[in-house]
Amino acid sequence: METLGPYHSLLAPPFILALAYLLSMLIPEAWRPRYLLAPLADSLARKTNKPGRLPQQQRLAGTLALLVVLMPVLLLVWVVTRLAAYPLPFELALLAWLLPGPALARDTDSLFSRLLSGQKTQARGALAHWTVRDTDSLSPLGLVKAGIEVQLEQARSQRFAVMFWYALAGPLAASLAWLCNELSRHWHPGRPEQINFGHWPSRLAALLMVPVNVLLGLTLSLYGNPLAPWRARYQLTGPGLLRSQQWPQLCLACSLDRQLGGPWQLGGQRHLRPRLGPTTLPEPEDLLRTRRLLSFATWLWLALLFLLGASLALTWHHLH
């Protein structure tokens, strides 16, 4: 990569990301960082999130817990990538480790086959590992919607967030975005016991995801009528950060020509969420269509990153 010369910083990221994306498919699921982070996040929440404290104290505890995780991990990433004689192999390994592998695709195939065979109880179990929402009472339609939405959420928060922030600001920013998204999932403020503790981790993750949501939504809208999400944007509800999170889902719903969203349960409580897209309800086949659309979007991002870097390098070369 260093043979790219003065244009290394413009041309290397898409090559590294494409290679990391392919390598991520080879890493065993049990070695993924999410399995290392989960017990740490649960332990911090148990030790610091005391139900008898004031809401302000719980929010402060959540902020401090966030810093306890972020500071040493980001310092380690900075030391390795900045002080190593050859940082690119470390960056490649880090990205391959952070990017999601094929496990969700396998479980989606299992969900699809079980829905077709009427095995509703087993189908619920296929999603329980991946989503924060309650799945034990979902209908077949609810399982299809949840399966589509969890594919989008994993791709949005783990794949596209890592790609965007690595291309924009390097491995430190990519690690920060991944960690914030994972911690906000573990400390989801929609859970009654995490409503205050997870407030600031969730807000930070949502802020980092705003540009990712905008670009991912625009990308997904290209596979249908690109104007349809803009015409249906009145369906987005809530404050700006919440509407930003709903935007990729609305664009996916319009491209699939299926309705997504709607109320869901978390921690035994019913949460109102807007129904997004047209009125046509999704079918099990839309689980596989979603995976294809997200795969196409991934390679489109990589191609556009390469074209953007090459255009900037060519412009810089002619100007100097």
Side-chain angles (χ1 to χ4, degrees):
M1 290 293 182
E2 297 295 341
T3 57
L4 296 174
Y7 312 115
H8 167 266
S9 61
L10 295 173
L11 299 177
F15 287 110
I16 296 173
L17 284 169
L19 185 55
Y21 177 58
L22 295 174
L23 290 176
S24 69
M25 301 298 169
L26 305 177
I27 298 177
E29 185 62 21
W31 295 2
R32 298 282 168 184
R34 62 195 300 261
Y35 298 101
L36 299 175
L37 183 64
L40 175 60
D42 292 340
S43 177
L44 281 172
R46 284 195 305 269
K47 292 178 179 178
T48 60
N49 186 22
K50 305 299 182 181
R53 290 178 173 173
L54 295 173
Q56 296 86 343
Q57 293 175 322
Q58 291 178 343
R59 289 188 179 188
L60 177 60
T63 303
L64 294 176
L66 176 67
L67 293 176
V68 166
V69 178
L70 291 183
M71 296 299 287
V73 174
L74 296 180
L75 179 61
L76 178 62
V77 172
W78 183 86
V79 168
V80 171
T81 56
R82 291 290 181 177
L83 302 183
Y86 300 100
L88 283 184
F90 293 101
E91 292 185 18
L92 179 62
L94 175 66
L95 292 171
W97 196 41
L98 295 180
L99 290 170
L104 179 56
R106 291 194 296 265
D107 285 347
T108 301
D109 290 338
S110 175
L111 173 64
F112 174 71
S113 60
R114 286 171 177 173
L115 285 172
L116 290 184
S117 60
Q119 299 176 340
K120 186 165 61 174
T121 302
Q122 294 85 345
R124 289 169 178 161
L127 281 183
H129 177 63
W130 296 103
T131 180
V132 298
R133 66 190 293 186
D134 301 339
T135 61
D136 52 0
S137 61
L138 287 178
S139 64
L141 173 61
L143 287 168
V144 172
K145 280 190 175 183
I148 293 173
E149 291 168 10
V150 78
Q151 289 184 80
L152 174 62
E153 178 57 26
Q154 189 198 52
R156 185 185 73 93
S157 63
Q158 295 188 11
R159 185 189 307 165
F160 292 100
V162 169
M163 291 171 61
F164 174 85
W165 284 110
Y166 175 76
L168 185 67
L172 201 64
S175 302
L176 174 64
W178 186 92
L179 281 168
C180 288
N181 281 323
E182 277 298 296
L183 289 173
S184 69
R185 189 176 73 88
H186 283 288
W187 303 333
H188 198 291
R191 294 190 178 99
E193 69 278 8
Q194 306 284 4
I195 186 171
N196 293 304
F197 185 80
H199 175 79
W200 288 115
S202 176
R203 295 275 291 185
L204 178 57
L207 284 170
L208 290 170
M209 289 302 297
V210 167
V212 181
N213 293 335
V214 172
L215 293 176
L216 178 57
L218 293 175
T219 306
L220 293 173
S221 69
L222 297 176
Y223 299 104
N225 180 357
L227 297 179
W230 294 98
R231 293 173 181 148
R233 65 185 183 276
Y234 66 89
Q235 297 176 348
L236 305 176
T237 61
L241 288 178
L242 188 58
R243 292 198 302 272
S244 169
Q245 294 172 357
Q246 297 165 7
W247 170 247
Q249 191 176 111
L250 173 62
C251 294
L252 177 62
C254 291
S255 290
L256 292 172
D257 197 25
R258 298 289 186 268
Q259 184 187 86
L260 301 177
W264 60 319
Q265 284 194 332
L266 179 58
Q269 293 189 352
R270 191 170 186 266
H271 293 260
L272 295 178
R273 296 164 67 246
R275 289 182 170 87
L276 302 173
T279 57
T280 307
L281 297 177
E283 300 176 353
E285 290 76 10
D286 295 313
L287 292 165
L288 307 184
R289 292 178 62 204
T290 298
R291 188 169 68 200
R292 288 195 294 269
L293 286 181
L294 292 171
S295 178
F296 293 154
T298 301
W299 288 108
L300 179 59
W301 272 41
L302 291 171
L304 291 176
L305 278 174
F306 172 76
L307 291 175
L308 178 61
S311 299
L312 291 175
L314 186 61
T315 301
W316 183 265
H317 177 74
H318 282 295
L319 290 176
H320 294 80

